[in-house]
Amino acid sequence: MTPAPVPAPSRPALAGWLPLLGGLVWVGGAVAGWEIARRAGWSAGELVIAGSVWLLVLLVAARQWVRDLFGPVFVYEVVRVGRRPSTFIFRWLYIGGILVLLGILYFAWSEAMARAGYRGRIPADELRKFATLYFEVVAVVQLVVLVLLTPGYVAGTI
């Protein structure tokens, strides 16, 4: 006696439109949220927090769509690589390196501010210059780390 064939899982007709519909709802919500925030007079920081929360809502709502987009092997590989001890070690080393870099830049900058005669309150323009310097240095460091680590991670997956 042969077993009965297992029917293929059926997808509702609306399933093909769900990602597009979800994207439109999300964009519409973002535009509505922006308009509400603009009328309420929110600061830039409040807008960034609200936008981050809205992006998190998108990611949580679209997680199944992302799984379907990249396939089950991608999800498995992301979880497997993320749980390796070496991944944790590299992450902590990277965070530590960025914090050490921040400390070095801050102490050099504060020494330069003291030599320039600033005591107590520092003008906003000088703070902006420090933030710009830190961003530029971190961006270069991230580019170098990306260029050095990408071949190793890609070779490991092949």
Side-chain angles (χ1 to χ4, degrees), residues 28-106:
V31 169
W34 176 265
E35 186 62 26
I36 290 169
R38 188 183 63 80
R39 289 185 183 181
W42 286 5
S43 68
E46 292 169 329
L47 287 173
V48 167
I49 290 172
S52 300
V53 168
W54 191 244
L55 182 62
L56 183 64
V57 167
L58 168 70
L59 293 175
V60 168
R63 68 182 182 275
Q64 186 60 43
W65 179 74
V66 171
R67 286 181 188 152
D68 292 345
L69 180 67
F70 293 110
V73 175
F74 174 77
V75 174
Y76 170 75
E77 284 293 318
V78 166
V79 170
R80 186 183 65 81
V81 169
R83 291 181 179 168
R84 281 194 291 186
S86 62
T87 303
F88 286 105
I89 292 169
F90 285 135
R91 286 175 183 168
W92 282 107
L93 287 174
Y94 182 73
I95 291 169
I98 293 294
L99 288 175
V100 166
L101 183 63
L102 175 62
I104 290 170
L105 286 174
Y106 174 75

Side-chain angles (χ1 to χ4, degrees), residues 11 16-17 60 68 107 143 152 154:
R11 298 188 101 179
W17 290 94
V60 168
D68 292 345
F107 287 122
L143 179 65
V154 171

Side-chain angles (χ1 to χ4, degrees), residues 1 19 87 135:
M1 187 165 173
T87 303
F135 170 77

